[in-house]
Amino acid sequence: MKNSIDVLGRYAGPATWILSSLADGPKHGYALIVDIEDFAGVRLQPGTLYGALTRLVDGGLIEAMGAEGRRQPYRLTVDGAAALQEQLTMQRRVADLGLRRLSTGMALS
């Protein structure tokens, strides 16, 4: 597998949100937009969503399932779950470091 961080690339935000959304089961595009808006407070535009979906499929991190009418559901692959775990672990390390540094280096008002 290509390094998962490399697959996510400079679009790691949308890719991480999509992978996180798919972690609890398959979803089609509109369901992804709604779920991501609910948990991340960000509404992905269709171009951003479908560009990220294409990169994630091409990278082997998600796969398209059989179409349901006009809707195309996607699901997380084993490699996608590993990539999400790696990405979230890295984000947690950065967040923990930043919070520690803020607490010792600056007085928060």
Side-chain angles (χ1 to χ4, degrees), residues 15-50:
T16 302
W17 299 326
I18 292 167
L19 294 174
S20 294
S21 182
L22 294 176
D24 71 349
K27 293 181 185 68
H28 56 78
Y30 182 72
L32 285 164
I33 288 171
V34 170
D35 188 44
I36 291 166
E37 187 171 19
D38 285 348
F39 74 75
V42 174
R43 184 164 184 89
L44 292 181
Q45 295 302 309
T48 301
L49 174 69
Y50 289 103

Side-chain angles (χ1 to χ4, degrees), residues 37-75:
E37 187 171 19
D38 285 348
F39 74 75
V42 174
R43 184 164 184 89
L44 292 181
Q45 295 302 309
T48 301
L49 174 69
Y50 289 103
L53 287 172
T54 298
R55 285 188 296 280
L56 292 169
V57 168
D58 290 348
L61 302 183
I62 65 172
E63 60 188 7
M65 301 170 60
E68 298 172 353
R70 294 179 51 187
R71 295 182 172 160
Q72 175 65 63
Y74 297 87
R75 69 177 161 211

Side-chain angles (χ1 to χ4, degrees), residues 50-104:
Y50 289 103
L53 287 172
T54 298
R55 285 188 296 280
L56 292 169
V57 168
D58 290 348
L61 302 183
I62 65 172
E63 60 188 7
M65 301 170 60
E68 298 172 353
R70 294 179 51 187
R71 295 182 172 160
Q72 175 65 63
Y74 297 87
R75 69 177 161 211
L76 198 59
T77 64
V78 171
D79 286 347
L84 179 60
Q85 177 76 38
E86 180 182 350
Q87 179 72 2
L88 294 176
T89 298
M90 182 191 63
Q91 288 179 350
R92 177 180 284 158
R93 281 194 311 264
V94 171
D96 288 347
L97 174 69
L99 290 169
R100 270 195 318 275
R101 288 180 176 180
L102 274 173
S103 70
T104 60

